[in-house]
């Protein structure tokens, strides 16, 4: 029996995974003396990008429908400011604030999804308006940078460590270092698994692919295209708010200029992970490795110590262009075979 042929979508995912493995291996070889080979270095990438992973999962779902959401960075900033001011100045319960943040995300996505799905306004215009609104509301809540330090419950959650039973090492001072992850990583990985299962095994997940592949065909199949788009944007904003909570646990502050460019990191992670900008193709596993590649590049630049942080943006931009060209080549090859 002949083995199944690898299609272009699977090949894109394999290229992404291989790129991450090679990139990380190169880092281990070059910067082994700086601790790059330690398990904690990899775990730190997950810790620093837990919020981005949640956002990238939501972005992937929206992009599968052929849409885009550039409001996520501003929504994260608004969430962080709301949490910081709510705890430090208003004295509200951290759990209640987190629930309110998730509700805000749902409402935010409902409005954007209604405009995109039912009013048929271009997603870029709708989410750009959402971006300006959320960034403006962040300043309305407070214009100063607010640090979270007085809420013992939230500080405790943010500082919580989950130790890994392997990969321990002794540092230069002779102190045993046990690898660990923080709560945002656990949340992000749970989100990743749930979204993966949703896309693979549920009717809604299959609807996202169908709508992004061909809206007319999806309509003829009996799918409610408008409702599917609305749900996609609601899911994206909800996961963005989950990511906002994770982001806040890492930064422990709220600021008007927080999370600038985060939406581009999410889009880049999804595209590098194999999600097509035209919709219909992609998965969150690819987006996960896209986030890891993004984080690895930043870690390599920081570990070097002599390079400007802007080099990480240049590297991500180059990879983004590479994968867009690669997607285009595979699409033309597929059309040629038909």
């Amino acid at each position: 029996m002949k083995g199944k042929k690898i299609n272009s979508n699977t090949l894109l995912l394999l290229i992404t995974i291989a790129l991450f493995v090679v990139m990380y291996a190169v880092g281990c070889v070059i910067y082994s003396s700086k601790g790059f080979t330690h398990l904690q270095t990899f775990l730190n990438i997950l810790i620093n990008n837990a919020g981005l992973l949640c956002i990238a999962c939501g972005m992937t779902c929206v992009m599968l429908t052929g849409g885009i959401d550039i409001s996520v960075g501003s929504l994260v900033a608004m969430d962080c400011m709301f949490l910081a001011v709510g705890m430090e100045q208003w004295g509200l319960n951290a759990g209640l604030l987190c629930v309110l943040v998730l509700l805000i995300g749902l409402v935010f996505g409902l409005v954007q999804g209604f405009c995109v799905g039912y009013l048929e306004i271009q997603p870029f215009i709708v989410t750009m308006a959402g971006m300006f609104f959320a960034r403006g509301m962040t300043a309305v809540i407070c214009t100063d940078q607010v640090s979270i330090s007085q809420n013992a419950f939230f500080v405790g959650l943010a500082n919580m460590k989950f130790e890994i039973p392997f990969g321990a090492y002794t540092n230069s001072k002779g102190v045993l270092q046990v690898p660990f992850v923080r709560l945002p990583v656990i949340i992000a990985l749970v989100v990743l698994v749930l979204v993966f299962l949703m896309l693979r095994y549920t009717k809604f997940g299959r609807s996202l692919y169908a709508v992004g592949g061909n809206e007319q065909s999806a309509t003829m199949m009996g799918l409610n295209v408008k409702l599917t788009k609305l749900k996609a944007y609601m899911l994206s904003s909800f996961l963005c708010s989950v990511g906002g909570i994770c982001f806040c646990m890492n930064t422990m502050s709220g600021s008007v200029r927080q999370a600038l460019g985060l939406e581009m990191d999410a889009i880049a992670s999804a595209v590098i992970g194999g999600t097509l900008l035209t919709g219909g193709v992609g998965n969150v596993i690819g987006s996960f490795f896209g986030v890891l590649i993004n984080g690895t590049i930043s870690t390599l630049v920081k570990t070097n110590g002599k390079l400007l942080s802007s080099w990480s943006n240049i590297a991500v931009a180059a990879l983004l262009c590479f994968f867009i060209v690669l997607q285009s080549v595979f699409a033309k090859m597929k059309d040629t075979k038909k």
Side-chain angles (χ1 to χ4, degrees):
M1 292 179 65
K2 293 182 179 180
K4 292 183 178 179
K5 292 183 178 180
I6 298 177
N7 59 35
S8 58
N9 304 333
T10 305
L11 185 58
L12 277 172
L13 176 59
L14 292 176
I15 290 173
T16 302
I17 296 173
L19 178 62
F20 165 70
V21 171
V22 170
M23 189 178 295
Y24 200 87
V26 169
C28 289
V29 172
I30 298 175
Y31 300 118
S32 59
S33 61
K34 294 186 177 182
F36 207 92
T37 55
H38 295 154
L39 176 60
Q40 189 60 52
T41 301
F42 173 75
L43 297 178
N44 285 340
I45 294 176
L46 290 177
I47 292 171
N48 295 332
N49 294 279
L52 177 59
L53 178 55
C54 294
I55 297 164
C57 287
M59 184 67 73
T60 302
C61 294
V62 165
M63 290 175 66
L64 285 175
T65 66
I68 201 163
D69 188 351
I70 63 170
S71 68
V72 293
S74 299
L75 182 56
V76 166
M78 185 174 72
D79 290 340
C80 290
M81 183 64 83
F82 183 73
L83 288 169
V85 172
M87 282 183 266
E88 295 298 309
Q89 297 183 10
W90 301 339
L92 297 178
N93 179 271
L96 174 63
L97 286 169
C98 289
V99 172
L100 289 175
V101 161
L102 296 178
L103 289 175
I104 289 171
L106 283 174
V107 174
F108 198 85
L110 176 65
V111 174
Q112 292 194 144
F114 180 80
C115 291
V116 173
Y118 287 87
L119 300 184
E120 298 183 353
I121 305 174
Q122 285 294 324
F124 182 83
I125 300 300
V126 171
T127 56
M128 183 171 64
M131 177 182 69
F132 288 135
F133 173 80
R135 191 65 67 175
M137 282 302 299
T138 305
V140 168
I141 296 170
C142 186
T143 56
D144 300 323
Q145 181 170 336
V146 181
S147 298
I148 302 173
S149 59
Q150 298 179 9
N151 192 293
F153 177 71
F154 194 80
V155 172
L157 287 179
N159 292 329
M160 190 181 297
K161 293 182 179 180
F162 298 87
E163 294 185 348
I164 308 298
F166 55 87
Y169 65 96
T170 304
N171 63 15
S172 57
K173 296 181 180 179
V175 179
L176 182 66
Q177 301 292 314
V178 180
F180 66 89
V181 295
R182 298 194 184 275
L183 182 59
V185 176
I186 305 299
I187 295 172
L189 292 178
V190 169
V191 167
L192 176 71
V193 172
L194 291 178
V195 175
F196 172 78
L197 294 175
M198 181 272 293
L199 290 175
R200 192 174 181 86
Y201 298 109
T202 68
K203 181 180 178 181
F204 174 60
R206 292 189 291 271
S207 298
L208 293 175
Y209 285 101
V211 169
N214 191 308
E215 285 191 23
Q216 291 182 342
S217 297
T219 303
M220 293 176 65
M221 290 167 58
L223 298 177
N224 190 329
V225 173
K226 295 180 179 179
L227 182 61
T228 300
K229 288 184 176 182
L230 183 143
K231 288 181 178 179
Y233 281 89
M234 286 183 67
L235 178 60
S236 174
S237 293
F238 177 78
L239 293 181
C240 180
S241 288
V242 174
I245 295 171
C246 294
F247 196 88
C248 192
M249 285 184 183
N250 280 340
T251 61
M252 293 303 288
S253 66
S255 170
V256 174
R257 296 185 60 80
Q258 201 164 30
L260 287 173
L262 190 63
E263 60 279 350
M264 297 309 164
D265 289 335
I267 294 169
S269 297
V271 172
I272 291 172
T275 303
L276 294 184
L277 290 168
T278 52
V281 174
N283 62 80
V284 289
I285 300 300
S287 299
F288 170 64
F289 280 97
V291 170
L292 289 180
I293 288 173
N294 201 325
T296 301
I297 291 171
S298 298
T299 304
L300 287 170
V301 171
K302 290 177 183 177
T303 304
N304 180 275
K306 297 179 181 179
L307 297 174
L308 295 174
S309 59
S310 56
W311 278 104
S312 60
N313 295 330
I314 294 171
V316 170
L319 283 176
L320 190 59
C321 292
F322 170 74
F323 276 93
I324 289 174
V325 171
L326 204 60
Q327 289 177 3
S328 179
V329 170
F330 283 155
K332 287 184 178 180
M333 289 173 61
K334 190 175 181 180
D335 290 338
T336 304
K337 290 180 180 180
K338 288 183 179 179

